[in-house]
Amino acid sequence: EIVMTQSPATLSVSPGERATLSCRASQSVSSKLAWYQQKPGQAPRLLIYGASTRATGIPVRFSGGGSGTEFTLTISSLQSEDFAVYYCQQYNTRDPVTFGGGTKVEIK
Amino acid sequence: EVQLVESGGGLVKPGGSLRLSCEVSGFTFSDYTMNWVRQSPGKGLEWVSSISKSGTYIYYADSMKGRITISRDNAKNSVFLQMNSLRDEDTAVYYCARDVMLSFGGVTMLLDAFDMWGHGTMVTVSS
């Protein structure tokens, strides 16, 4: 099983600032990496797939990068609605797909 | 509008069974692999099971293998998760989710990332 490790666990950021979240895979997942945003009481929302492709309707302030084992999600200028928990997920290995433990982005 | 609506959750005693359902609308159900993902209270996301478009290919997480059965009825636009021998640690919100589909030049490809999710159904296993 591929283990996904996210850092930091919590990120405190002021509105308007840039946030960079990290995700590391225990072995290469090529570019088969997705990012999700989840707000309290809601289902996850797909932000990025293929490591860097924004899903439909996702604002351009969200960008993904990396390949192999190291990935980043960058939010260029945090808006109030962006404070949430973010998860990465690898889908290079179908059985099983695995998620990271999450990064909580909170207001500083 | 794409919709996925789960049902069937509830309170069950350890060792009990539940059958979850997910009824979808707004897209061609039979074109997509469907998945179940769960989230224990205050915890992260855990993939549970997947079933291919026609039901030919099925995958289960080791944590639930042997205790669950996924199935689908393409005529009823629904996917199901039969859960038996439930344990305290199976307490979670269970979401159904759709694979991402890419289309280019008349060719489609499914990715095992999940672009549409239901609201979830809560399963509580407790005596």
Side-chain angles (χ1 to χ4, degrees):
Chain A
E1 172 177 321
I2 297 176
V3 177
M4 307 301 292
T5 303
Q6 291 187 241
S7 61
T10 303
L11 187 61
S12 298
V13 186
S14 299
E17 288 188 341
R18 182 186 194 91
T20 301
L21 290 64
S22 295
C23 176
R24 173 177 292 178
S26 61
Q27 63 190 76
S28 176
V29 299
S30 185
S31 294
K32 295 186 178 179
L33 191 285
W35 289 95
Y36 300 85
Q37 176 193 69
Q38 188 179 33
K39 298 178 181 178
Q42 297 185 15
R45 173 193 182 197
L46 178 66
L47 299 175
I48 300 282
Y49 62 90
S52 61
T53 302
R54 276 186 299 277
T56 302
I58 301 304
V60 297
R61 65 180 181 272
F62 291 92
S63 62
S67 66
T69 62
E70 301 283 344
F71 300 89
T72 57
L73 174 71
T74 300
I75 311 170
S76 60
S77 176
L78 270 155
Q79 306 298 301
S80 57
E81 62 266 30
D82 300 335
F83 293 96
V85 179
Y86 293 82
Y87 295 95
C88 63
Q89 176 225 341
Q90 70 79 21
Y91 53 93
N92 187 58
T93 301
R94 191 11 170 162
D95 187 17
V97 299
T98 47
F99 291 89
T103 291
K104 181 179 181 180
V105 177
E106 64 176 24
I107 300 175
K108 186 174 182 179
Chain B
E1 180 191 5
V2 171
Q3 285 195 309
L4 295 80
V5 180
E6 301 96 335
S7 60
L11 175 63
V12 61
K13 289 182 168 52
S17 298
L18 279 176
R19 185 182 193 232
L20 307 184
S21 299
C22 173
E23 185 172 0
V24 314
S25 59
F27 64 97
T28 304
F29 179 68
S30 58
D31 285 349
Y32 288 84
T33 292
M34 296 298 296
N35 309 274
W36 288 95
V37 177
R38 70 180 181 179
Q39 186 169 36
S40 299
K43 303 297 185 183
L45 301 168
E46 179 188 14
W47 168 80
V48 171
S49 183
S50 300
I51 185 167
S52 63
K53 296 183 288 186
S54 61
T56 302
Y57 301 101
I58 285 174
Y59 305 90
Y60 298 118
D62 284 347
S63 60
M64 300 199 81
K65 196 173 290 183
R67 301 188 294 124
I68 58 173
T69 303
I70 191 171
S71 61
R72 65 189 294 159
D73 184 337
N74 286 346
K76 294 183 178 179
N77 289 343
S78 295
V79 58
F80 308 99
L81 187 69
Q82 176 67 44
M83 303 191 297
N84 301 322
S85 304
L86 284 163
R87 306 167 180 166
D88 291 353
E89 56 264 33
D90 296 321
T91 293
V93 175
Y94 286 74
Y95 296 101
C96 69
R98 183 185 84 169
D99 266 20
V100 170
M101 177 188 281
L102 300 183
S103 300
F104 40 90
V107 176
T108 61
M109 179 192 322
L110 292 173
L111 307 179
D112 298 318
F114 312 134
D115 66 346
M116 291 294 170
W117 298 64
H119 56 84
T121 187
M122 183 71 204
V123 171
T124 302
V125 184
S126 175
S127 54

